[in-house]
């Protein structure tokens, strides 16, 4: 059978690289567009380009794109507060451009990477997909606007709202990954700062589970759905600190600093819909995911 081709926007990024690998393992042709230089070991066709550019259509002219996994974004709450116009371009404008061209070229389905940030400080926990959306940052606003544009675009879609994604190879320069940040500091024996008292909690999901969900979503007949991608497990930042401390052999105590604007107090996402629609249960525990990160150091 003819291989199906998937365009992965932001394919050089953290979730992108794992999604590309998962697609290749599942026998898809993969085309990546990202404005970064092509990373080594990314074994697919690669276009270094901004997804907001008109030239994006050239990729669709040259390749029959069957599906899209749209991951390109400015994935940082703090950056979105500092640079709302850039957030608007890389999150909303990018999505409008990708969807408009995808529609012209009859793409079969788009998978979109939305976020738990659209639930702000939830009214109830675990948050399900029926929970109203609300906004503490430009990032949450442009992700939500992107969701609406995708629904308006006429494309078949699945919108995944990811919880906090972590795993080996996550960029530590942004604020997107608290696991990656703590891990990098602890590996070097440097002090770790916890914003606030550390009892705020999150739902951490391993990037390999997220990549699997992206590909399962693309292969399934399900469309027109918004689905949380999470473990439905709450982990406080203090607990995260302890697990990382035990696994890395770190010896210092954390420094507590003031909490940050835009930060969500408590977040844990119901994954009932994910499990019932796809019969898939994210299986990588936080400790085993962190052990894998530690093993990667040796
Ligand atoms: N990491 C998380 O915890 C998390 C949680 C919820 C949602 N998400 C979403 O998942 C997606 C992927 O996140 P990630 O953690 O892999 O981020 P990442 O920063 O590692 O990857 C994003 C990639 O997109 C590229 N990119 C950004 N703007 C672009 C543009 N205009 N044109 C071309 N390329 C562009 C970047 O170069 C980068 O390689 C994002 O949409 C993010 O908002 C991530």
């Amino acid at each position: 059978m003819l291989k199906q081709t998937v365009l992965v926007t932001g394919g050089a990024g953290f979730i992108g690289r794992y999604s590309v690998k998962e697609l290749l393992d599942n026998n898809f042709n993969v085309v990546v567009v990202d404005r970064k230089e092509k990373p080594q070991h990314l074994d697919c066709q690669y276009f270094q380009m901004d997804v907001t550019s008109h030239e994006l259509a050239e990729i669709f002219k040259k390749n029959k794109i069957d599906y899209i996994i749209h991951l390109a974004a400015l994935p940082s709450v703090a950056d979105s507060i500092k640079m709302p116009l850039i957030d608007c371009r890389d999150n909303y404008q990018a999505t409008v451009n990708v969807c408009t061209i995808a529609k012209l070229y009859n793409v079969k389905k788009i998978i979109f990477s939305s976020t738990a940030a659209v639930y702000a400080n939830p009214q109830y926990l675990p948050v399900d997909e029926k929970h109203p959306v609300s906004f503490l940052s430009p990032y949450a606003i442009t992700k939500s606007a992107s969701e609406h544009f995708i629904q308006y675009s006429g494309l078949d879609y699945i919108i995944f709202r990811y919880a906090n994604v972590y795993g080996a190879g996550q960029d530590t320069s942004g604020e997107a990954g608290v696991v990656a940040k703590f891990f990098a500091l602890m590996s070097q024996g440097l002090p770790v700062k916890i914003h606030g008292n550390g009892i705020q909690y999150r739902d951490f999901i391993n990037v390999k589970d997220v990549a699997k969900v992206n590909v399962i979503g693309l292969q399934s007949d399900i469309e027109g759905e918004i689905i949380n991608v999470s473990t439905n497990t709450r982990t406080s930042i203090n607990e995260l600190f302890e697990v990382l401390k035990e696994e890395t052999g770190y010896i210092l105590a954390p420094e507590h600093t003031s909490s940050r604007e835009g930060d969500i107090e408590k977040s844990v996402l119901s994954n009932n819909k994910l499990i019932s629609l796809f019969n898939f249960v994210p299986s990588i525990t936080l400790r085993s995911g962190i052990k894998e990160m530690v093993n990667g150091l040796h």
Side-chain angles (χ1 to χ4, degrees):
M1 210 174 81
L2 205 62
K3 277 189 177 186
Q4 302 277 291
T5 300
V6 184
L7 176 70
V8 183
T9 74
F14 171 53
I15 300 172
R17 293 191 307 274
Y18 283 88
S19 298
V20 168
K21 183 175 180 311
E22 187 66 24
L23 285 165
L24 294 172
D25 290 349
N26 281 276
N27 213 24
F28 285 97
N29 261 335
V30 182
V31 177
V32 162
V33 57
D34 198 297
R35 64 179 168 210
K36 273 190 208 151
E37 262 182 42
K38 183 176 192 246
Q40 278 180 342
H41 314 301
L42 205 63
D43 196 11
C44 63
Q45 224 188 129
Y46 192 89
F47 294 88
Q48 188 177 2
M49 188 188 288
D50 200 298
V51 290
T52 59
S53 148
H54 294 305
E55 287 169 32
L56 188 68
E58 295 301 314
I59 298 178
F60 290 74
K61 270 185 208 157
K62 288 185 191 136
N63 300 273
K64 167 81 189 89
I65 304 293
D66 297 294
Y67 300 99
I68 298 176
I69 300 180
H70 177 38
L71 300 166
L74 181 78
S76 158
V77 167
D79 286 349
S80 80
I81 293 168
K82 275 186 252 150
M83 307 178 286
L85 263 181
I86 293 182
D87 168 73
C88 185
R89 188 196 64 198
D90 285 346
N91 291 334
Y92 185 62
Q93 197 180 321
T95 304
V96 171
N97 200 37
V98 169
C99 288
T100 307
I101 296 170
K103 187 67 188 154
L104 274 176
Y105 286 86
N106 299 315
V107 166
K108 292 176 191 153
K109 195 192 241 182
I110 182 165
I111 303 290
F112 179 58
S113 52
S114 191
T115 166
V118 299
Y119 299 123
N121 278 316
Q123 294 163 14
Y124 59 87
L125 294 167
V127 193
D128 60 24
E129 295 81 354
K130 295 193 181 92
H131 187 284
V133 293
S134 177
F135 314 105
L136 290 175
S137 63
Y139 175 67
I141 294 170
T142 52
K143 281 292 186 181
S144 182
S146 299
E147 290 186 357
H148 287 299
F149 192 85
I150 288 167
Q151 291 174 314
Y152 156 86
S153 69
L155 290 163
D156 279 5
Y157 67 86
I158 297 180
I159 291 166
F160 284 130
R161 290 180 177 158
Y162 305 150
N164 286 71
V165 188
Y166 76 96
Q170 189 165 21
D171 188 7
T172 52
S173 58
E175 59 77 67
V178 60
V179 179
K181 246 188 171 171
F182 283 9
F183 178 71
L185 292 168
M186 287 185 183
S187 310
Q188 297 169 77
L190 294 169
V192 173
K193 286 184 184 144
I194 294 181
H195 295 286
N197 54 19
I199 59 171
Q200 66 272 32
Y201 55 75
R202 296 282 179 276
D203 183 333
F204 294 103
I205 180 159
N206 190 273
V207 64
K208 288 185 179 170
D209 277 332
V210 173
K212 278 206 177 104
V213 169
N214 284 341
V215 177
I216 292 170
L218 190 139
Q219 289 168 315
S220 82
D221 293 335
I222 308 283
E223 75 88 21
E225 297 286 348
I226 295 181
I227 304 167
N228 289 341
V229 178
S230 66
T231 58
N232 198 4
T233 306
R234 58 183 70 182
T235 306
S236 74
I237 302 302
N238 290 335
E239 284 164 347
L240 170 69
F241 179 91
E242 285 308 316
V243 175
L244 277 162
K245 187 175 172 179
E246 284 162 23
E247 296 301 331
T248 57
Y250 186 70
I251 48 170
L252 302 177
E255 284 174 27
H256 287 270
T257 62
S258 54
S259 15
R260 287 178 310 175
E261 187 190 350
D263 266 358
I264 290 164
E265 259 303 288
K266 293 170 181 168
S267 177
V268 59
L269 272 60
S270 162
N271 57 9
N272 287 345
K273 190 169 176 183
L274 176 77
I275 295 169
S276 67
L277 287 181
F278 298 129
N279 197 20
F280 175 80
V281 185
S283 60
I284 304 171
T285 63
L286 182 63
R287 189 174 290 274
S288 65
I290 286 172
K291 273 188 201 291
E292 203 176 284
M293 291 168 76
V294 174
N295 289 338
L297 284 178
H298 308 304

